[in-house]
Amino acid sequence: MTSHLYVYQRTEKTEANPFGFVERKQIPADEACVVYLGGDGTEKEKAANGYAKIIKNEILAPMNIDMPVYSVRYDFGDGKKGYARQSLFKKYGMVMSSQKRAKIDENSGPEELNPQYIEDLYHKVIEPRISQDGKKIDAEEAMRRLRKVTFVAHCHGGFVAVKLEELMQQKMAELGYSGKERNQIQQQMTVIAHAPGCPLGVAKSNIISFMSAYDPKIPKPLNYFTDYIDKRLRENSMRYYAEEDKNQEKIEKYRWFDLKPSFLSGKMGNMFLVKQRFPFMDVGPAMCNESEHDVVNYQGNNQLNYGQLLTHFSKTILSNVIKNSLQQDEKFTPLPPLEELILSDDKNMNIKEASAFEKMKANGEALTKEVYDFARKCNLDYLAQKRQNG
């Protein structure tokens, strides 16, 4: 069965519509709005409505902005959403750390490689903004219209954003946009992505990601970066339980991994990364808390300091991206650089915010060096083992 995608708008509650949620066949071409691409559990209206409610209540209400908020619901049909993500990682030369490698090709059909619901999303949201009557429009006008949409994504929504970009590139080429125009238009697709379940650093779109190292559910690539982070977090677990048991030998062997809040740009996908957002919940031999992945609100309730920092920047950046979408009147207004997007309306906070962001960039560079040194050591150890085995 073919997959499909449905778009709903968060509206005022009425007696006839007690949940304040209405399906829309298409989003108007020149409307400033927010579109939420939820996780793969968004198969019912209630889940889609929950995402939209967060944006309305926690982002727009404090800004005193009345803006349409849309949220999507998926019907995956016969498609295997897990294999679809794995296929996307493979397409960009990556292997998912959790994937069943031998089964990808035999289980990947049209709905895994190019899901129909991505085509549905394109027709409902993107097509009216980059074409009219089946023809291309002025490139700057397309840039203006596309920048009026702010996308927010959670987990599988990151996959949806990358697949939507791929389809957009194909459709724009068919419409006759030049390569330069396609790139300029694509850069206006801005996505605030929470724990995105997609390859990072491959998109032409402006995807800004927010992630926790202790997230137990996020799809991630099998590479030295993932290996290094996972290895150090396992050492944290060993240290934690050694201290619980007062095992001095293990305490001395395993040192704490204090992953400082980091920002990693470029091929790392404009990623804001923290060690953990919430206090630990002990589950078996490992330390985890599913809230690291599942909680996507902007109130910061029960979060640790690092979690509050991540939430502050995600909320501030999203708010500023929305403000820019409202500036797209008759002429295209470029999105400010990230150094400005991280600054809130509280001028007394701006110096602290700028300083924190600079520290995160420096921490990201230091973390990248640590991973590079780790990769180098792994390769040297491998070569030494190979020589020893003849």
Side-chain angles (χ1 to χ4, degrees), residues 90-197:
K90 183 179 179 182
K91 180 176 181 178
Y92 288 97
M94 304 180 195
V95 177
M96 274 179 60
S97 59
S98 60
Q99 75 183 45
K100 301 175 182 177
R101 300 178 189 86
K103 294 185 177 181
I104 292 179
D105 293 332
E106 66 187 63
N107 285 282
S108 294
E111 279 298 334
E112 283 73 42
L113 299 176
N114 294 295
Q116 174 60 40
Y117 66 86
I118 303 297
E119 189 100 19
D120 291 348
L121 181 61
Y122 170 80
H123 290 306
K124 293 173 186 289
V125 181
I126 303 298
E127 186 176 44
R129 295 178 186 260
I130 64 172
S131 66
Q132 187 168 339
D133 299 325
K135 298 179 181 179
K136 63 175 285 193
I137 60 175
D138 177 74
E140 185 163 317
E141 173 63 10
M143 292 166 65
R144 186 187 72 84
R145 290 185 183 183
L146 188 57
R147 182 65 286 281
K148 296 188 82 167
V149 184
T150 299
F151 290 93
V152 184
H154 177 220
C155 192
H156 187 76
F159 164 86
V160 174
V162 174
K163 293 300 293 184
L164 180 60
E165 173 185 304
E166 291 180 349
L167 184 59
M168 284 177 62
Q169 287 291 305
Q170 173 194 326
K171 297 291 188 180
M172 285 192 288
E174 293 172 0
L175 287 167
Y177 286 105
S178 69
K180 180 179 179 181
E181 289 173 330
R182 293 199 300 273
N183 287 338
Q184 289 175 331
I185 294 169
Q186 195 69 61
Q187 287 168 11
Q188 307 318 312
M189 179 176 160
T190 302
V191 185
I192 306 303
H194 300 280

Side-chain angles (χ1 to χ4, degrees), residues 352-371:
K352 292 182 179 179
E353 290 161 340
S355 176
F357 184 51
E358 288 303 313
K359 288 179 181 177
M360 291 184 79
K361 288 194 287 185
N363 292 340
E365 292 174 0
L367 177 60
T368 300
K369 184 181 183 304
E370 288 179 29
V371 173

Side-chain angles (χ1 to χ4, degrees), residues 313-328:
F313 275 136
S314 63
K315 181 177 183 178
T316 300
I317 292 171
L318 175 56
S319 299
N320 284 328
V321 170
I322 289 172
K323 289 177 188 175
N324 175 259
S325 72
L326 292 171
Q327 295 172 348
Q328 312 298 324

Side-chain angles (χ1 to χ4, degrees), residues 331-345:
K331 297 181 66 176
F332 168 65
T333 303
L335 190 69
L338 198 52
E339 286 75 12
E340 294 180 27
L341 293 176
I342 55 100
L343 302 177
S344 66
D345 288 337

Side-chain angles (χ1 to χ4, degrees), residues 168-265:
M168 284 177 62
Q169 287 291 305
Q170 173 194 326
K171 297 291 188 180
M172 285 192 288
E174 293 172 0
L175 287 167
Y177 286 105
S178 69
K180 180 179 179 181
E181 289 173 330
R182 293 199 300 273
N183 287 338
Q184 289 175 331
I185 294 169
Q186 195 69 61
Q187 287 168 11
Q188 307 318 312
M189 179 176 160
T190 302
V191 185
I192 306 303
H194 300 280
C198 62
L200 298 179
V202 302
K204 296 180 176 66
S205 304
N206 183 22
I207 299 179
I208 305 171
S209 304
F210 298 86
M211 301 173 65
S212 161
Y214 266 110
D215 186 333
K217 296 181 179 180
I218 187 170
K220 50 192 175 184
L222 184 60
N223 56 23
Y224 284 119
F225 185 88
T226 298
D227 283 352
Y228 178 73
I229 297 294
D230 288 351
K231 176 179 181 294
R232 298 304 309 277
L233 294 182
R234 285 195 300 272
E235 290 175 353
N236 273 9
S237 298
M238 297 298 292
R239 172 75 184 231
Y240 175 81
Y241 287 108
E243 291 197 347
E244 288 281 297
D245 298 336
K246 297 181 173 57
N247 187 325
Q248 193 61 38
E249 182 179 345
K250 287 187 176 180
I251 290 174
E252 293 173 359
K253 180 179 179 181
Y254 298 108
R255 58 190 175 93
W256 287 115
F257 176 41
D258 185 20
L259 174 61
K260 297 177 180 178
S262 302
F263 176 75
L264 300 114
S265 60

